[in-house]
């Protein structure tokens, strides 16, 4: 038994060494070869079919045989009616879960381009299921501009907030023709914040000098390591105020009925409070919105998916292989040493 245990341990070390060498070689080859830009593809999910399947599965397990016969007859009648009516108008759904740097806008722009290229402005609609607490100004500014492309194309746009759309998230949401929000969804936070630490006192305490050379009086205002001045702080504060004014102007242009001075204080509210202030239009979850549309429209979820490169697939397979080897060795040792 001890021999088998030691052999298994030796085998595990050998496999680990081979894998390590393989990873090093892969990294060297990757560094030598110029990486190609990753390409993606649009993925379409038939939400209508998913909802219908969910309903049918539930009924198959709850109705009696007699009730199922009646249901099947009604369903066939509805199917024939749908065939006669022809193609239904469509509802295109996009999920946007935004991070601090709003890098998800790269996929969003592809999804919106795809929808604009095929949607019929006279019949079709777009629903964005939005979740974001905000982030960098330029990132969310671009994201909001992407949503404006939908409106510029004449396609009705709704935004649904189930959890949060604050700050940059609300900058995106306010572009919509209609904002839906779950009762306890957090919205608002129309404000701007910037904060940086300053280590100048620590440097001075340790006799470390910091040099910074700039051309232009306000090329740099506040600094991490230098000594900040009142003039620099005032300039930085002015820049923050200017950004806030741009934010308020943008929101007002999208929702002119808002009392912008009342809501642009940086505060946030739950949707049940925000509806009284005009920040949202309807208290409703995205699930209810889809269920309401399932018989009137053909619903599609649109997602831009980046294809995995060979190195990504190799790393994933390697990781999976290591896990399997480890689990097999552990199970064998357990069986040999109860």
């Amino acid at each position: 038994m001890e021999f088998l245990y030691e052999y298994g341990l030796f085998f595990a070390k050998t496999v680990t060494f081979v894998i390590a060498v393989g990873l090093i070689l892969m990294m060297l080859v990757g560094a030598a070869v110029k990486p190609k830009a990753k390409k993606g593809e649009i993925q379409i999910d038939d939400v209508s079919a998913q909802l219908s399947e969910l309903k049918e599965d539930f009924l198959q397990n709850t109705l009696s045989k007699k009730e199922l016969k009646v249901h099947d007859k009604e369903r066939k009648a509805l199917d024939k009616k749908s065939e006669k009516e022809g193609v239904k108008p469509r509802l295109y759904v996009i999920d946007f879960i935004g991070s601090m740097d709003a890098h998800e806008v790269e996929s969003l722009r592809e999804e919106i381009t795809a929808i604009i290229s095929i949607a019929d402005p006279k019949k079709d609609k777009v629903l964005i299921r939005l979740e974001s607490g905000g982030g960098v100004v330029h990132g969310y500014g671009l994201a909001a501009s992407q949503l404006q492309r939908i409106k510029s194309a004449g396609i009705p746009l709704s935004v649904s907030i189930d959890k949060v759309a604050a700050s940059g998230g609300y900058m995106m949401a306010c572009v919509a023709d209609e904002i839906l929000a779950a009762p306890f969804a957090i919205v608002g936070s129309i404000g701007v914040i910037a904060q940086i630490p300053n280590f100048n006192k620590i440097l001075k305490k340790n006799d470390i000098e910091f040099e910074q050379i700039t051309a232009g009086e306000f090329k740099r205002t506040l600094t991490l390591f230098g000594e900040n001045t009142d003039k620099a702080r005032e300039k930085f504060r002015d820049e923050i105020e200017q950004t806030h004014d741009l934010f308020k102007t943008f929101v007002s242009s999208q929702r002119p009925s808002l009392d912008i001075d009342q809501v642009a204080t940086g505060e946030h509210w739950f949707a049940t409070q925000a509806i009284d202030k005009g920040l949202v239009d309807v208290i409703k979850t995205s699930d209810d919105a889809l269920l309401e549309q399932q018989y009137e429209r053909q619903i599609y979820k649109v997602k831009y998916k980046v294809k995995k490169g060979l190195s990504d697939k190799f790393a994933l397979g390697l990781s999976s292989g290591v896990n399997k080897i480890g689990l097999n060795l552990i199970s064998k040792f357990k069986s040999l040493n109860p």
Side-chain angles (χ1 to χ4, degrees):
M1 295 296 180
E2 186 177 352
F3 168 74
L4 290 174
Y5 176 80
E6 289 178 355
Y7 176 76
L9 195 60
F10 170 76
F11 179 73
K13 290 179 179 178
T14 304
V15 170
T16 303
F17 175 76
V18 171
I19 290 172
V21 171
L23 285 172
I24 292 170
L25 289 173
M26 186 177 70
M27 286 188 288
L28 289 173
V29 171
V33 180
K34 186 178 180 180
K36 294 181 179 179
K38 289 187 177 181
K39 294 182 179 180
E41 60 184 5
I42 292 293
Q43 180 178 307
I44 306 293
D45 291 332
D46 191 336
V47 179
S48 293
Q50 292 172 3
L51 291 173
S52 179
E53 185 178 345
L54 182 67
K55 178 182 176 180
E56 289 302 316
D57 287 344
F58 186 82
L59 292 176
Q60 290 291 332
N61 289 283
T62 56
L63 296 182
S64 65
K65 289 184 178 180
K66 185 177 180 180
E67 290 171 327
L68 276 174
K69 285 183 180 180
V70 174
H71 169 68
D72 289 338
K73 188 176 180 181
E74 291 175 348
R75 188 184 62 181
K76 288 177 182 178
L78 284 173
D79 290 341
K80 287 182 180 179
K81 183 181 178 182
S82 297
E83 288 177 7
K84 289 181 180 179
E85 290 175 349
V87 179
K88 290 182 179 180
R90 296 169 178 174
L91 175 65
Y92 297 100
V93 180
I94 295 175
D95 287 335
F96 184 88
I97 302 176
S99 58
M100 184 65 72
D101 64 356
H103 67 271
E104 297 83 3
V105 74
E106 294 304 319
S107 294
L108 179 67
R109 69 202 309 174
E110 300 290 345
E111 292 157 358
I112 289 175
T113 296
I115 290 172
I116 290 174
S117 67
I118 61 171
D120 184 346
K122 296 179 181 178
K123 299 190 297 182
D124 300 336
K125 291 184 177 182
V126 176
L127 173 67
I128 308 291
R129 294 191 290 196
L130 174 63
E131 182 182 331
S132 175
V136 295
V137 176
H138 57 281
Y140 279 92
L142 178 57
S145 297
Q146 292 299 319
L147 299 193
Q148 283 186 306
R149 291 176 60 207
I150 298 174
K151 289 183 67 176
S152 297
I155 305 169
L157 171 65
S158 296
V159 164
S160 180
I161 308 164
D162 285 330
K163 293 181 180 178
V164 58
S167 195
Y170 190 76
M171 180 187 288
M172 292 178 65
C174 73
V175 176
D177 298 301
E178 182 181 50
I179 300 177
L180 320 173
F184 289 95
I186 295 172
V187 298
S189 190
I190 304 172
V192 183
I193 183 172
Q195 52 190 357
I196 59 172
N198 182 268
F199 301 98
N200 185 253
K201 290 182 180 180
I202 296 174
L203 296 180
K204 282 184 176 180
K205 186 177 180 180
N206 291 276
D207 296 324
I208 299 172
E209 294 185 2
F210 173 74
E211 297 288 343
Q212 179 175 262
I213 300 171
T214 62
E217 184 181 4
F218 295 115
K219 176 61 180 176
R220 179 72 65 222
T221 51
L222 297 188
T223 172
L224 282 168
F225 302 107
E227 186 172 353
N228 289 319
T229 64
D230 289 338
K231 187 175 182 180
R233 292 188 187 96
E234 187 62 32
K235 175 61 177 175
F236 193 77
R237 192 175 292 110
D238 288 342
E239 292 171 351
I240 294 296
E241 288 293 340
Q242 290 172 19
T243 306
H244 189 209
D245 287 340
L246 287 172
F247 192 176
K248 291 194 295 182
T249 300
F250 180 79
V251 174
S252 293
S253 68
Q254 303 299 318
R255 296 181 74 85
S257 61
L258 277 176
D259 183 343
I260 195 64
D261 291 328
Q262 183 188 23
V263 298
T265 58
E267 298 172 84
H268 64 266
W269 297 272
F270 292 113
T272 48
Q273 301 167 316
I275 193 169
D276 295 329
K277 299 180 181 296
L279 290 166
V280 301
D281 301 304
V282 182
I283 301 298
K284 184 186 297 181
T285 65
S286 62
D287 306 287
D288 288 331
L290 293 181
L291 286 174
E292 287 175 1
Q293 296 286 321
Q294 66 173 322
Y295 297 115
E296 299 177 12
R297 296 179 177 277
Q298 177 65 42
I299 306 173
Y300 293 111
K301 180 183 173 184
V302 182
K303 181 177 177 60
Y304 182 74
K305 193 173 183 179
V306 177
K307 294 180 180 179
K308 290 183 179 178
L310 184 61
S311 60
D312 295 328
K313 292 179 181 178
F314 179 76
L316 184 62
L318 193 62
S319 174
S320 177
V322 171
N323 287 336
K324 286 181 180 178
I325 291 171
L327 289 172
N328 287 336
L329 287 173
I330 289 169
S331 63
K332 287 178 181 177
F333 292 156
K334 282 184 176 179
S335 62
L336 291 171
N337 299 279

